[in-house]
């Protein structure tokens, strides 16, 4: 049936639960579903997306990836279009098609529909199965804001793109394809597409050191901070003393250095005195697009791999040749067919003559032809992530769109003869990488640590490729770190088995750390082929990397932050490890800044978070530990009266004496805390440092970045003041107004930024405080206040994702009050939650892309590929940019004698019948300068008895227990230059027998 007229286009709403009201209907965003994505897109873009409809054609490997991502993102409605029926081939490329769908010959779109709809109850999902071709009336597309085509002939893509481009306003068009190891994405968003936020980066506020009077005036950043600006951008100013004419104004900048920029004529302004802040002003940007027809001969191409600048145009030309081949023969080149490869080469040569720029491509054409009918599901995942992000850009005007093509290929093509198809779910993969490599993947044993968003995407990719099949003795060992509770790990394992019932998955809920090394020992690592991490913190990454290096296992690491993603490939003896490089440490906020001199909203939020931890977590935990180690309050009182110093007793007794027993006690305590933190602290600071205080050099003490505080008088009618809701506090107004003011003693103010936060338990206590503590404890005992129940507290551990627990509400209120006290612009609750909870923004598009890229490298590891074929990647889908680079080679340390070298990887020495030192002399012609086992020095020339020890074997020196198979030794060698320090080698693993390596037990 054809789309004869708009009225004949039918959308089918299959039997799925009715969608919930969309975000656009309710104007509320479901934080339980979108919490991490909100920090990527922002609420405005989320609302725009929730009012948009998308038409997506093609439910193959690429189409289903895009469907998943845009439904998870939260568009208002999406129509899936596809005419094909499920085949065995689809089981290895489409993660929402099941064996029963193939047996019943169900239409692909019908099989996919309900499973995609379950991902997001807010999205209206419909299907269309009518034929879409050159005769179809395209007016039905006017109801959509974006049209996405996958698996569509080029002639039809050009026709639909032209139709979309000519509408007012234009319908955004995206065309994308995956042919074997090659892929492409094309975007056309009209002749004038406005982007409100080209980068998505949150503008930084920076303090000003000086502004010159002149033409132009030059702004210098405080403390040599880099401004990160570009010439032509605009900044706005505030809080400037002296040159106040600039406050509230916006100026275009000309960058002079990383620390300074010019803003125009300031010669008529007042002289700059001090203080001031500037902030980047984001300006809308217009992007222009040509139609696909216009772009074919002179395409604007993204270059992912700068070592191969010709590759994008090569792939563009070859994929146009594949389009021509498909148009003429109604099929793609047959797998491994040499005749079809030559035909494709002729098509490519003809098309190359029509292009403005020319490149060579002969060998690449034959490689592409061999596997064009195949499909790499990881490549589809990566491209699907990129294309899906372009859909979101089209709907929201957020981030810079792709202009206008990106063409990529994977280097996983097997050099071995590609076998004939066997009719199973792996035929699409086998067409690209060959039978031998496909079998290696099935036999692979993979250790995957982490089961968050990336981990689940990785599981999906490995299930489609058949990594770790039970019939091939392969296995996926899947771990969920205790702090990665995005998804129940058994649910993830079950979902993977639905995709591929042949998988062998062993799911564990344990933390992989030194405490579990008896469970995840070297023997455990010895049976693995590969380690894959999907972790969210550096510490865990470093630990897993060290275990992989010591056991000589390849490691695939990846991560995302919003639209940014990275992959890192670590292969023993070839590449450096994760621990070979270190990011600069996160800058800590000085203690005095947090305590007394906050300058930006991050300082007040961290202060509030610290107060939460201290009041509700740290102090109750200390309280419990103290009373667990002492039998009774009476015993503590007796020991204190006897003059014994008991660590922590003063803080614990203070908590005991002030412990509330009723709700109005809690309110009274909160009221007192309010005065303490937001009134008396300010008065204390201003008493110690009046507003006219000057430093030794004559400059004002209170100048940028220091802000003088203003005391806050408690006001029940101010909704910002109560810690609880205003209405609930007003019910207890009479109670609150009976609370009297307490005496307040001024204390020392710390101004030294190098001073660390003191340890409360180890602070000195005066004799008066001792007497007061004894008195308080005695009074509590005499009044029968001390009961076993009151010697226990329930600590509250910060949990950012439970909005009912009040944790974020407390921090948001306390932070806002402190910000008001210091005249700092307050943050809303969402921003406070992100900063206090250190939330890493996340979105399904970049997660899918990074998991796809890692899975492609997994294939290379299985195939034992050479160093030059492994690729690390960094991308930012917002800009968009993608950079593929060769992995960094492993560092080799030269040993002077015989020009030997060693790397970070473990050396292995098996049981030798001669002494250890003699073995090195005979084997390598060198002698170690020192050999150490743990803290035990085995061979050290300066130690007494060294010559005697040289004659002993390692077995006699170590005297291992009966079950011990090996020991790890630290060995040093003579330096390259006399006088330098000895060269420490990586740990050397010495096996006590040649058979022990297969069943390692440390």
């Amino acid at each position: 049936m054809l789309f004869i007229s708009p009225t004949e286009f039918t959308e089918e709403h299959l039997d799925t639960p009715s969608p919930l009201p969309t975000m656009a209907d309710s104007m509320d965003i479901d934080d339980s579903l979108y919490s991490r994505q909100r920090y990527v897109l922002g609420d405005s873009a989320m609302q725009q997306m929730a009012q948009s409809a998308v038409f997506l054609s093609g439910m193959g490997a690429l189409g289903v990836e895009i469907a998943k991502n845009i439904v998870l993102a939260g568009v208002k409605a999406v129509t899936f279009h596809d005419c094909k029926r499920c085949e065995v081939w689809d089981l290895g490329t489409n993660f929402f098609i099941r064996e029963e769908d193939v047996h019943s010959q169900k239409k692909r779109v019908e099989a996919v529909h309900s499973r995609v709809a379950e991902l997001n109850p807010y999205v209206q999902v419909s299907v269309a199965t009518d034929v879409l071709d050159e005769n179809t009336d395209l007016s039905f597309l006017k109801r959509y804001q974006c049209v996405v085509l996958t698996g569509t002939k080029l002639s039809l893509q050009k026709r639909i793109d032209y139709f979309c481009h000519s509408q007012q306003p234009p319908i955004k068009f995206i065309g994308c394809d995956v042919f074997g190891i090659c892929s492409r994405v094309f975007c056309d968003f009209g002749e004038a597409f406005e982007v409100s936020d080209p980068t998505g980066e949150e503008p930084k506020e920076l303090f000003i050191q000086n502004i010159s009077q002149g033409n132009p005036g030059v702004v210098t950043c405080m403390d040599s901070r880099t401004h990160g600006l570009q010439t032509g951008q605009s900044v706005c100013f505030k809080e400037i003393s002296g040159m106040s004419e600039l406050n509230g104004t916006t100026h275009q900048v000309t960058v002079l250095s990383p620390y300074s920029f010019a803003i125009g004529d300031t010669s008529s302004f007042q002289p700059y005195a001090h203080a001031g802040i500037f902030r980047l002003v984001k300006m809308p940007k217009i992007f222009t697009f040509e139609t696909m027809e216009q772009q074919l001969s002179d395409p604007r191409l993204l270059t992912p791999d700068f070592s191969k600048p010709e590759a994008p145009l090569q792939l563009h030309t070859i994929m146009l040749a594949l389009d021509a081949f498909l148009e003429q023969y109604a099929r793609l080149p047959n797998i491994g067919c040499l005749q079809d490869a030559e035909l494709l080469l002729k098509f490519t040569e003809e098309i190359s003559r029509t292009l403005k720029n020319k490149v060579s491509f002969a060998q690449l054409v034959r490689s592409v032809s061999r596997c064009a009918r195949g499909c790499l599901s990881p490549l589809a995942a990566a491209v699907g992530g990129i294309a899906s992000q372009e859909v979101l850009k089209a709907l929201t005007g957020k981030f810079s769109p792709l202009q206008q093509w990106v063409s990529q290929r994977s280097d996983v093509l097997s050099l071995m003869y590609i076998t004939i198809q066997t009719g199973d779910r792996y035929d699409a993969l086998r067409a690209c990488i060959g039978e031998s490599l496909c079998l290696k993947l099935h036999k692979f044993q993979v250790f995957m640590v982490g089961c968050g968003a990336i981990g689940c995407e990785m599981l999906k990719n490995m299930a489609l490729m058949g990594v770790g099949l039970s019939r091939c003795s392969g296995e996926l060992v899947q771990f969920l770190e205790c702090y990665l509770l995005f998804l129940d790990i058994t649910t993830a394992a079950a979902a993977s088995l639905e995709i591929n019932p042949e998988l062998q998955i062993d799911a564990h809920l344990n933390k992989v750390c030194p405490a579990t090394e008896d469970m995840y020992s070297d023997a455990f690592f010895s049976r693995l082929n590969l380690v894959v991490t999907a972790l969210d913190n550096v510490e865990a990454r470093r630990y897993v990397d060290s275990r992989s290096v010591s056991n000589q296992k390849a490691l695939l690491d990846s991560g995302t932050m919003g639209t940014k993603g990275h992959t890192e490939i670590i292969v023993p003896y070839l590449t450096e490890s994760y621990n070979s490089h270190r990011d600069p440490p996160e800058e800590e906020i000085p203690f005095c800044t947090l305590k007394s001199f906050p300058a930006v909203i991050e300082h007040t939020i961290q202060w509030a978070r610290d107060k939460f931890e201290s009041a509700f977590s740290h102090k109750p935990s200390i309280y419990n530990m103290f009373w667990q180690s002492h039998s009774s309050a009476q015993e503590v009182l007796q020991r204190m009266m006897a003059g014994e110093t008991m660590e922590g007793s003063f803080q614990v007794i203070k908590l005991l004496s002030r412990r509330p027993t009723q709700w109005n006690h809690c309110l009274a305590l909160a009221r007192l805390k309010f005065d303490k933190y937001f009134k008396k602290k300010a008065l204390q600071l201003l008493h110690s440092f009046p507003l006219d205080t000057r430093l030794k050099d004559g400059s004002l003490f209170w100048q940028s970045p220091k802000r003088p505080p203003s005391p806050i008088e408690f006001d029940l009618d101010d909704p910002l003041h109560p810690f609880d809701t205003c209405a609930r506090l007003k019910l207890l107004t009479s109670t609150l107004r009976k609370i009297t003011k307490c005496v307040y003693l001024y204390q020392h103010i710390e101004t030294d930024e190098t001073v660390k936060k003191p340890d409360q338990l180890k602070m000195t206590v005066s004799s008066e405080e001792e007497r007061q503590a004894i008195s308080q404890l005695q009074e509590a005992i005499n009044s029968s206040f001390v009961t076993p129940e009151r010697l226990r507290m329930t600590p509250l551990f910060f949990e950012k994702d439970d909005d009912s627990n009040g944790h974020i509400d407390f921090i948001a209120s306390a932070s806002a009050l402190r910000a008001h006290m210091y005249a700092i612009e307050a943050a809303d609750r969402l921003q406070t939650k992100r900063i206090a909870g250190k939330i890493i923004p996340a979105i399904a598009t970049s997660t899918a892309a990074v998991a796809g890229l890692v899975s492609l490298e997994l294939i290379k590891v299985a195939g034992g590929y050479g160093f030059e074929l492994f690729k690390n990647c960094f991308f930012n889908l917002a800009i968009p940019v993608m950079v593929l680079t060769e992995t960094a080679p492993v560092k080799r340390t030269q040993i002077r004698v015989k020009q030997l070298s060693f790397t970070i990887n473990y050396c292995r020495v098996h049981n030798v019948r001669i002494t250890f030192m003699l073995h090195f002399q005979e084997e390598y012609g060198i002698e170690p300068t020192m050999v150490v086992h743990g803290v035990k020095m085995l061979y050290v020339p300066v130690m007494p008895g060294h010559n005697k020890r040289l004659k002993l074997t390692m077995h006699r020196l170590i005297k291992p227990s009966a079950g011990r198979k090996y020991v790890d030794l630290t060995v040093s060698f003579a330096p390259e230059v006399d006088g330098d320090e000895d060269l420490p080698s990586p740990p050397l693993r010495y096996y006590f027998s040649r058979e022990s390596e297969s069943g390692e037990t440390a």
Side-chain angles (χ1 to χ4, degrees):
M1 177 178 176
L2 304 179
F3 293 120
I4 302 301
S5 68
T7 58
E8 290 196 11
F9 172 70
T10 56
E11 291 182 359
E12 302 175 39
H13 297 270
L14 302 181
D15 294 333
T16 55
S18 299
L20 298 175
T22 65
M23 290 185 293
D25 297 328
S26 63
M27 298 306 290
D28 288 328
I29 297 175
D30 186 344
D31 219 32
S32 66
L33 184 63
Y34 299 114
S35 63
R36 302 304 187 261
Q37 183 175 284
R38 290 179 76 178
Y39 296 115
V40 181
L41 297 178
D43 287 2
S44 176
M46 294 280 290
Q47 297 289 356
Q48 285 179 276
M49 199 162 53
Q51 301 176 52
S52 304
V54 178
F55 180 82
L56 171 60
S57 180
M59 285 293 105
L62 182 54
V64 75
E65 286 284 350
I66 298 172
K68 163 183 61 83
N69 294 335
I70 62 176
V71 168
L72 285 172
V75 298
K76 179 178 182 179
V78 59
T79 300
F80 299 149
H81 168 259
D82 195 277
C83 304
K84 296 181 179 179
R85 296 190 178 274
C86 298
E87 300 176 353
V88 174
W89 183 282
D90 294 313
L91 295 175
T93 58
N94 188 317
F95 49 88
F96 277 140
I97 291 179
R98 306 289 180 257
E99 290 182 355
E100 58 267 25
D101 301 326
V102 176
H103 296 324
S104 62
Q105 287 287 287
K106 186 180 286 187
K107 291 181 179 178
R108 288 199 308 191
V109 70
E110 293 173 356
V112 165
H113 165 266
S114 61
R115 293 171 183 132
V116 176
E118 289 175 354
L119 297 176
N120 193 336
Y122 294 98
V123 179
Q124 302 166 16
V125 181
S126 57
V127 301
T129 58
D130 300 332
V131 174
L132 182 61
D133 62 14
E134 300 293 340
N135 300 314
T136 303
D137 185 338
L138 299 179
S139 57
F140 77 92
L141 293 174
K142 292 180 180 179
R143 72 185 74 173
Y144 301 100
Q145 283 70 50
C146 183
V147 172
V148 185
L149 303 183
T150 69
T152 305
K153 291 196 298 185
L154 184 65
S155 58
L156 185 56
Q157 288 190 54
K158 290 191 289 185
R159 178 174 178 248
I160 293 176
D161 171 54
Y162 181 81
F163 173 85
C164 293
H165 190 94
S166 62
Q167 301 304 303
Q168 292 299 328
I171 301 169
K172 284 66 177 182
F173 174 85
I174 298 172
C176 39
D177 293 288
V178 172
F179 294 134
I181 61 171
C182 298
S183 65
R184 70 180 171 202
V185 178
F186 169 80
C187 294
D188 176 7
F189 296 168
E191 293 180 359
F193 179 68
E194 183 176 293
V195 174
S196 59
D197 182 358
T199 66
E201 297 293 333
E202 187 173 346
K204 294 188 299 183
E205 288 191 344
L206 292 178
F207 291 99
I208 296 169
Q209 182 73 48
N210 184 58
I211 307 175
S212 67
Q213 269 184 310
N215 188 10
V218 177
V219 180
T220 306
C221 301
M222 182 171 285
D223 299 330
S224 298
R225 297 275 181 144
T226 56
H227 49 66
L229 298 172
Q230 297 177 6
T231 296
Q233 292 181 320
S234 297
V235 297
C236 61
F237 296 93
K238 64 179 182 179
E239 300 182 20
I240 297 173
S241 294
M243 199 176 284
S244 57
E245 296 93 336
L246 287 176
N247 287 328
T249 63
T250 300
H251 296 262
Q252 198 172 74
V253 308
T254 301
V255 172
L256 303 177
S257 77
Y259 321 103
S260 62
F261 55 89
I263 57 170
D265 191 358
T266 61
S267 57
S268 62
F269 294 168
Q270 300 176 64
Y272 172 81
H274 64 86
I277 295 172
F278 69 86
R279 179 186 178 96
L280 173 68
V281 177
K282 293 198 171 186
M283 306 297 287
K285 185 176 180 179
I286 302 298
F287 291 81
T288 60
F289 290 83
E290 294 180 332
T291 64
M292 180 178 281
E293 185 71 61
Q294 294 170 314
Q295 273 283 298
L296 290 177
S297 60
D298 188 17
R300 286 185 282 181
L301 292 157
L302 185 70
T303 304
D305 189 345
F306 293 106
S307 68
K308 300 175 181 177
E310 73 288 350
L313 187 56
Q314 287 178 331
L315 293 173
H316 177 75
T317 309
I318 295 170
M319 293 189 78
L320 290 180
L322 283 171
D323 291 315
F325 192 106
L326 182 61
E327 291 278 357
Q328 180 158 335
Y329 297 104
R331 65 174 177 84
L332 289 168
N334 287 322
I335 298 169
C337 177
L338 298 179
Q339 184 178 358
D340 280 358
E342 294 307 312
L343 285 173
L344 182 64
L345 180 58
K346 290 181 180 178
F347 277 114
T348 309
E349 291 169 345
E350 292 172 4
I351 287 170
S352 179
R353 286 192 284 270
T354 68
L355 302 184
K356 182 177 180 180
N357 298 301
K358 309 292 190 292
V359 286
S360 59
F361 41 68
Q363 186 55 45
L364 182 57
V365 170
R366 295 185 177 93
S367 298
V368 170
S369 177
R370 253 170 69 198
C371 62
R373 297 187 72 179
C375 180
L376 281 171
S377 56
L379 182 59
V383 176
I386 296 169
S388 303
Q389 189 66 59
E390 297 306 311
V391 174
L392 304 189
K393 294 175 187 178
L395 301 178
T396 65
K398 176 97 174 187
F399 307 138
S400 300
L402 172 68
Q403 289 206 292
Q404 286 187 249
W405 301 83
V406 57
S407 300
Q408 296 174 280
R409 74 179 177 95
S410 172
D411 293 322
V412 302
L413 182 65
S414 174
L415 301 178
M416 304 178 67
Y417 177 74
I418 297 179
T419 59
I420 60 172
Q421 303 295 276
T422 62
D424 65 10
R425 66 172 65 230
Y426 309 111
D427 274 353
L429 175 66
R430 193 177 286 112
C432 295
I433 66 174
E435 173 68 24
S436 176
L437 184 47
C438 197
L439 186 59
K440 287 181 180 179
L441 287 175
H442 298 339
K443 293 180 177 180
F444 237 41
Q445 299 211 16
V446 179
F447 175 31
M448 197 176 79
V449 188
C451 190
I454 296 177
C456 290
E457 285 282 348
M458 285 296 302
L459 275 177
K460 177 256 299 177
N461 294 339
M462 289 191 276
L464 289 172
M465 293 190 295
V467 177
L469 300 187
S470 55
R471 62 179 168 85
C472 298
S473 300
E475 186 178 17
L476 288 175
V477 185
Q478 179 196 10
F479 287 77
L480 177 61
E481 293 286 327
C482 294
Y483 38 75
L484 282 176
L485 298 174
F486 290 99
L487 178 69
D488 181 82
I489 193 167
T490 56
T491 304
S496 302
L497 289 171
E498 282 190 23
I499 297 172
N500 188 345
E502 295 184 332
L503 288 184
Q504 176 70 32
I505 300 182
D506 185 12
H508 294 214
L509 181 57
N510 297 303
K511 190 170 184 178
V512 183
C513 62
T516 57
E517 283 190 14
D518 58 337
M519 189 182 304
Y520 310 123
S521 62
D522 292 330
F524 171 84
F525 274 86
S526 68
R527 63 186 177 90
L528 301 173
N529 299 105
L530 176 67
V531 179
V532 179
T533 56
L535 299 166
D536 66 349
N537 69 93
V538 172
E539 181 184 355
R541 280 189 169 103
R542 294 201 181 284
Y543 174 74
V544 176
D545 174 73
S546 67
R547 299 289 286 135
S548 301
V549 169
S550 66
N551 288 279
Q552 301 179 6
K553 302 300 177 184
L555 171 68
L556 304 181
D557 180 62
S558 60
T560 65
M561 186 172 67
T563 58
K564 299 171 185 173
H566 80 274
T567 65
E568 183 172 6
I569 317 306
I570 298 159
V571 183
Y573 304 109
L574 293 180
T575 71
E576 66 177 13
S577 76
Y578 185 86
N579 282 300
S580 298
H581 52 81
R582 291 184 178 271
D583 295 329
E586 186 176 344
E587 188 174 342
E588 292 187 0
I589 304 172
F591 171 65
C592 69
T593 300
L594 279 180
K595 186 173 176 63
S596 304
F597 307 111
V600 293
I601 192 63
E602 287 81 2
H603 297 164
T604 72
I605 293 173
Q606 185 60 52
W607 174 87
R609 171 71 191 271
D610 288 350
K611 290 302 176 190
F612 177 94
E613 296 289 352
S614 173
F616 305 122
S617 179
H618 183 61
K619 287 181 179 177
S621 297
I622 292 174
Y623 185 89
N624 289 345
M625 286 189 294
F626 181 87
W627 291 117
Q628 285 170 5
S629 60
H630 299 91
S631 58
S632 68
Q634 188 68 45
E635 175 230 337
V636 172
L637 178 61
Q638 291 173 355
R639 292 170 63 179
M640 292 181 68
M641 293 179 69
E644 184 177 343
T645 300
M646 304 177 69
E647 185 174 336
S649 59
F650 303 102
Q651 288 77 16
V652 168
I653 292 170
K654 185 187 294 186
L655 283 174
L656 176 64
S657 64
R658 296 180 180 180
R659 177 171 179 165
T661 58
Q662 299 176 25
W663 171 243
N664 61 339
H665 294 170
C666 295
L667 291 174
L669 184 60
R671 176 67 180 84
L672 292 171
K673 291 289 186 183
F674 183 98
D675 266 2
K676 176 182 178 181
Y677 292 136
F678 307 117
K679 179 182 178 181
K680 292 172 182 173
K681 287 287 186 183
L683 292 173
Q684 176 182 326
L685 269 171
L686 295 175
H687 172 81
S688 302
F689 304 104
L691 293 177
D692 57 357
T693 302
R694 292 187 177 273
L695 301 174
K696 291 180 179 179
D697 62 1
S699 60
L700 284 170
F701 177 84
W702 292 109
Q703 65 172 322
S704 182
K706 286 189 176 70
R707 299 170 178 267
S710 299
I712 302 176
E713 292 289 345
F714 183 78
D715 181 2
L716 273 176
D717 296 321
D718 189 331
L720 185 63
H721 288 195
F723 284 153
D724 205 343
T725 62
C726 188
R728 290 176 64 188
L729 279 178
K730 282 190 175 183
L731 293 175
L732 293 159
T733 298
S734 59
T735 303
L736 288 172
R737 288 180 176 160
K738 289 178 184 177
I739 298 173
T740 58
K741 296 182 179 180
C742 58
V743 177
Y744 194 77
L745 298 175
Y746 290 110
Q747 301 173 350
H748 168 69
I749 305 295
E750 185 58 69
T751 61
D752 186 353
E753 293 192 358
T754 63
V755 172
K756 303 295 184 181
K757 184 176 181 178
D759 187 335
Q760 296 292 329
L761 292 180
K762 297 181 178 179
M763 291 179 67
T764 57
V765 180
S766 67
S767 57
E768 176 58 32
E769 287 175 310
E770 288 184 13
R771 287 192 293 271
Q772 186 178 6
I774 292 172
S775 175
Q776 288 173 339
L777 182 56
Q778 196 162 28
E779 182 180 346
I781 293 173
N782 293 339
S783 63
S784 301
F785 182 78
V786 179
T787 64
E789 293 76 21
R790 290 188 178 134
L791 297 184
R792 296 288 181 272
M793 286 188 182
T794 303
L796 300 179
F797 298 104
F798 178 68
E799 172 49 60
K800 59 184 176 292
D801 290 320
D802 181 0
D803 286 338
S804 66
N805 63 18
H807 297 186
I808 292 296
D809 295 324
F810 172 88
I811 292 172
S813 297
S815 170
L817 283 165
R818 189 165 175 84
H820 177 64
M821 174 176 157
Y822 281 94
I824 297 171
E825 184 178 348
D828 60 24
R829 188 180 187 281
L830 186 68
Q831 185 184 8
T832 300
K833 180 178 178 178
R834 177 181 64 80
I835 297 170
K838 298 182 179 179
I839 292 175
I840 300 174
I843 191 167
T845 52
S846 51
T847 301
V850 84
L853 292 167
V854 169
S855 299
L856 290 172
E857 299 304 310
L858 186 153
I859 297 173
K860 299 176 188 177
V861 172
Y865 283 34
F867 171 81
E868 67 282 353
L869 291 179
F870 289 107
K871 296 291 182 182
N872 290 341
C873 180
F874 168 79
F875 64 75
N876 185 349
L877 299 183
I879 302 179
V881 65
M882 176 176 286
V883 180
L884 296 170
T885 61
E886 287 189 356
T887 55
V890 65
K891 180 182 177 182
R892 295 188 175 275
T893 303
Q894 296 293 323
I895 302 175
R896 177 172 48 184
V897 182
K898 297 187 65 174
Q899 294 302 304
L900 296 174
S901 65
F902 55 81
T903 69
I904 58 172
N905 298 99
Y906 270 54
C907 304
R908 300 191 177 209
V909 177
H910 292 270
N911 180 42
V912 293
R913 301 189 183 280
I914 55 178
T915 67
F916 183 83
M917 305 293 269
L918 188 57
H919 166 77
F920 265 84
Q921 288 177 342
E922 291 187 358
E923 187 76 16
Y924 306 110
I926 58 175
E927 181 176 339
T929 56
M930 184 173 64
V931 181
V932 177
H933 169 49
V935 297
K936 186 177 182 180
M937 296 184 177
L938 303 180
Y939 298 108
V940 182
V942 297
M943 294 291 290
H946 173 66
N947 291 333
K948 183 179 178 181
R949 298 175 72 82
L950 286 174
K951 301 175 183 178
L952 301 179
T953 63
M954 190 60 66
H955 199 283
R956 291 189 62 186
L957 284 170
I958 298 291
K959 298 178 181 177
S961 58
R964 189 150 205 176
K965 307 294 184 182
Y966 67 85
V967 290
D968 288 337
L969 307 175
T970 301
V971 183
S972 298
F973 297 97
E976 185 75 16
V977 179
D978 289 334
D980 288 354
E981 293 184 1
D982 286 356
L983 299 174
S985 78
L988 184 147
R989 182 157 293 177
Y990 183 90
Y991 292 88
F992 294 109
S993 69
R994 290 195 170 275
E995 294 76 26
S996 61
E997 187 172 356
S998 59
E1000 296 185 1
T1001 303

